Amino acid sequence: MLYLIYASKEAAIERADEEGKELGFDYWIEDNGIGTRWLTYPNETADHMWALDVTDYDLDESEESSTVDHYTPLPDPDDD
Amino acid sequence: MHVSLDSALGRQRRLNSVGESVLQIAPNALTAYSLRSLTGGDPKVVRVRRASDNGEQDFTASEVSSGALVAFVGSGNDGFVETWYDQAGNSNDVVQATAGSQPKIVSAGSLVTGGLRFDDAQKLETASTASFGDGTTLSTFITNSSDGDEASYLFRFSSDYIIFNNSAGLRRVHAGISANAGTASGSEELWSTISTINSSGGTTNFFADGVLKSSADANIGTKTVSNRVLNIGGSSSGTHWNGTVNEVIFYATDQTSNRVALESNIMTNYGIS
């Protein structure tokens, strides 16, 4: 798996939105707030950054050089 | 002895449920998800994304059974569930907008056996939250097949109330502590749970295929449900459901009096004995 690490959730979602548009997901085509929007969604890391799984993304050169192959997820507060 | 006509007819309805839909046998479900009609009509049941071009479409129960859904996905292709529509009439649809987290419904051009396939990374959730206080009885009827190979959450309101199997394949209900209900068979099963949650100590009765598998009124702990979304399939990689789900019917009321009739309907439909 390949991940890009973002400082904010908003920045990670912006990249996920970009890929979702590229893939032609229904959310972006119908423009009615319904349907698939993202290929992957960011998860918070243990150090409060945001990891986006970009394994199947079309990355540019800058992004390719910035990927990491693992991260430590923030423990799920629901899993207590 | 006096027996009123109404009560006599009511009793007859419970005994002869063949031909009645689930929601005719026991109306007022809070949520009800299936690929068949639970209403007796032909409701919209699922929204599917096909992997070939990411096109999406809604399907009714008859369009699922007629092959229209499979035709939409296309020969040899995979299809995934974006929305599982609530047939209870409360608009509590469970949704997944992230493609990589959508359960599979069509695999290589054929409907998945067992309904929706959750493979350790999928989940569906309501947008709205629910709260259930002391003394509320929660009745669930879930047709599923568990891989039973790791702890995996099937139905839950966050950590407040969870129906799952543990890493040893034990069926469990949890509202603070877990009540065991035997080991999942790995084949399709109907899990019926009737639980009363209470901050001073809740209890459950867990039936598999109509047979009580937990202790009677087993202790499930002291949690109530506070402002939680309904989740089908789990939350993290360690607790995602591994297996299939054909149907989830949920009442925030005690359905003990309807349990046998509901189980008969469901088990007959899915060929569970």
Side-chain angles (χ1 to χ4, degrees), chain B residues 28-57:
Chain B
N28 302 318
L30 192 61
T31 64
Y33 313 104
S34 184
L35 299 177
R36 64 170 177 147
S37 171
L38 301 174
T39 66
D42 187 21
K44 186 170 64 175
V45 296
V46 70
R47 182 177 184 83
V48 172
R49 176 182 63 85
R50 60 186 175 199
S52 57
D53 65 356
N54 291 317
E56 294 187 13
Q57 191 167 308

Side-chain angles (χ1 to χ4, degrees), chain B residues 78-97:
Chain B
D78 293 339
F80 298 87
V81 172
E82 196 276 336
T83 301
W84 208 2
Y85 288 108
D86 175 21
Q87 297 186 40
N90 297 316
S91 299
N92 286 318
D93 308 328
V94 281
V95 176
Q96 180 50 262

Side-chain angles (χ1 to χ4, degrees), chain A residues 26 36-39 76 79-80, chain B residues 47 56 97 99 102 235-236:
Chain A
D26 217 48
T36 304
R37 177 172 173 177
W38 304 288
L39 179 60
D76 189 338
D79 289 342
D80 59 7
Chain B
R47 182 177 184 83
E56 294 187 13
Q102 293 169 343
S235 66
S236 68

Side-chain angles (χ1 to χ4, degrees), chain B residues 96-273:
Chain B
Q96 180 50 262
T98 302
S101 301
Q102 293 169 343
K104 185 180 282 189
I105 187 170
V106 175
S107 180
S110 299
L111 279 176
V112 169
T113 301
L116 279 59
R117 174 73 198 179
F118 293 76
D119 211 9
D120 204 23
Q122 290 75 43
K123 62 181 178 181
L124 298 168
E125 289 185 340
T126 56
S128 58
T129 60
S131 298
F132 307 112
D134 280 343
T136 306
T137 297
L138 309 177
S139 303
T140 62
F141 300 85
I142 306 175
T143 310
N144 73 91
S145 176
S146 168
D147 291 356
D149 55 349
E150 64 178 35
S152 54
Y153 294 167
L154 175 56
F155 174 101
R156 67 186 211 134
F157 290 97
S158 189
S159 57
D160 290 349
Y161 183 78
I162 313 171
I163 299 170
F164 69 112
N165 66 239
N166 76 351
S167 57
L170 288 173
R171 310 177 192 95
R172 287 184 157 178
V173 174
H174 180 103
I177 65 170
S178 296
N180 291 334
T183 305
S185 67
S187 300
E188 184 146 70
E189 296 185 335
L190 169 58
W191 292 4
S192 312
T193 64
I194 298 181
S195 309
T196 299
I197 56 174
N198 202 301
S199 56
S200 62
T203 60
T204 196
N205 287 292
F206 192 133
F207 304 82
D209 302 344
V211 178
L212 182 64
K213 295 293 186 180
S214 64
S215 303
D217 299 323
N219 181 12
I220 56 172
T222 57
K223 287 195 174 183
T224 56
V225 176
S226 178
N227 207 30
R228 303 295 199 182
V229 301
L230 168 59
N231 170 297
I232 297 171
S235 66
S236 68
S237 59
T239 53
H240 275 109
W241 182 247
N242 281 331
T244 56
V245 182
N246 246 324
E247 197 161 279
V248 177
I249 303 156
F250 171 61
Y251 299 84
T253 52
D254 186 351
Q255 293 298 317
T256 297
S257 63
N258 291 317
R259 180 181 63 81
V260 171
L262 288 168
E263 289 173 339
S264 175
N265 176 296
I266 296 166
M267 291 169 67
T268 298
N269 183 73
Y270 294 108
I272 298 170
S273 56

